[in-house]
Amino acid sequence: MLFDITKICFLVVFVVRVTSSLPVSQQNEDSSLLKVKSQLAGLERRVNTHCDSDGLGGVFVNFTSVSAEKSFHVLPFSIDGNDYLYLPGKRSMVYQIRESHLRGENPLLAPHQHIRLPSDSSQALGAEFMKIGRRRFLSTTHNRGCEIREWRGSRFLLHQNIVFAFAEKVSPKYVQISSYSFLILPFYYDTAEEAAVYYWNKDKDKFDLFDRLPVTGGHNVAHIVVGNRHCLGFPRRAYDLEEGLNSKIFCWSGSHFVHHQTLLDRDKRAFSMISYSVGSLTYLVVAYHYDRLLESHTKAYSDIYVWNSWQQKFTLIHSFPTPVATHLDAFKIGNQQYLTVANLGTDNTNPVASTIYRVEGPELTVHQEIQAIRIYEMKSFSHRNKTFLAIATADESHPTSIYRWQSP
């Protein structure tokens, strides 16, 4: 086994007091805000350690790996009832997940298609799967731009090439809002380039530039949904002398994206952002992998926000330690919400625990830790009604591994 599962029996529960001020005497607070206050007010931070005995004791177990060149990312998707994994990298490959008669219930990852990049590009740096009507597309960013390929029959064929500078470390994001289909390309480098929003032009049968958003210094985008509101979250990693490292949220107005909120990152470099809902409440998690004030990766804390519908913005409720966090994922098994945090670590020799949390309202419970060297990304996917976790590393000696959820 490439990874060791440890500490799956010890759970750490974080319960904290709301850190920003919420009005106490407001008479017109709605039920959502009152629910937040009833859950959080007066709770002190405490740590409880115990064994999981509440019937949710399943864990992810490692059962296979992908023999491929280094890939920082992994992208699961489905087409016509078939499941696939795309590993973008120096040799980008699409794998089909098939049933293996030799391995019983374990799926077999069979190479399906090699995605060839332009000869002058070093490697694929990010990917996104897109559904536009009945058509299926795969977008891949590299250091020369973004290639968009369409699924035709059984393979992806080149459909469009978007050329732009400073594409390194850029992960595209596909967002559908009403009848609009958007492809968002952020920019990592602190330059005059701004995040680009493309929309699918049905008449031209391609993505056209729709708008540019005044945000730089990030390399991925989060799609945040609060009720009927659709927003784009930009975690910022590159330092800006005027704006610092504050991440930004832009919301759809019906005709364009407008700046809605700036998150005070307090000189911490944000790497990833994700939202999820528990009951009627929507939470936002921002992962940080470096604290400039402390000049430390290992002492960085990530933040959890809750949507305050009375103030119409996200309110910080607490932070939790994440040593060099690089990726977040949220998924459900049954009715239980989970959050994964991939922690990269600071060197190539010492394993660092990446964490799977059980989400219970405002509380996070450490459900399982996976010890490995330089985990860069963890993504969940389903195959034949079973839940899997794909783990990509930044260490060339460790290929991508696939874990399967095993119930007690």
Side-chain angles (χ1 to χ4, degrees), residues 130-133 135 137 173-184 197-202 206-208 210 252 257:
M130 305 179 291
K131 298 180 180 179
I132 304 177
R135 302 167 71 178
F137 297 87
K173 185 66 176 181
Y174 177 65
V175 174
Q176 283 187 302
I177 304 176
S178 185
S179 61
Y180 292 94
S181 297
F182 295 106
L183 179 64
I184 298 93
V197 179
Y198 290 82
Y199 81 104
W200 180 254
N201 189 323
K202 296 181 181 179
K206 69 172 187 177
F207 282 98
D208 276 344
F210 178 80
W252 178 247
F257 289 98

Side-chain angles (χ1 to χ4, degrees), residues 249-275:
I249 297 175
F250 294 79
C251 293
W252 178 247
S253 68
S255 60
H256 59 287
F257 289 98
V258 297
H259 178 254
H260 181 79
Q261 183 177 356
T262 296
L263 303 178
L264 300 180
D265 293 337
R266 304 181 304 281
D267 275 344
K268 296 187 296 183
R269 292 179 178 174
F271 214 103
S272 183
M273 181 185 295
I274 199 168
S275 66

Side-chain angles (χ1 to χ4, degrees), residues 76-85 129 131 136 381-383:
F77 61 90
S78 298
I79 298 179
D80 299 330
N82 296 316
D83 297 323
Y84 300 87
L85 283 180
F129 180 70
K131 298 180 180 179
R136 303 294 183 263
F381 65 96
S382 296
H383 176 70

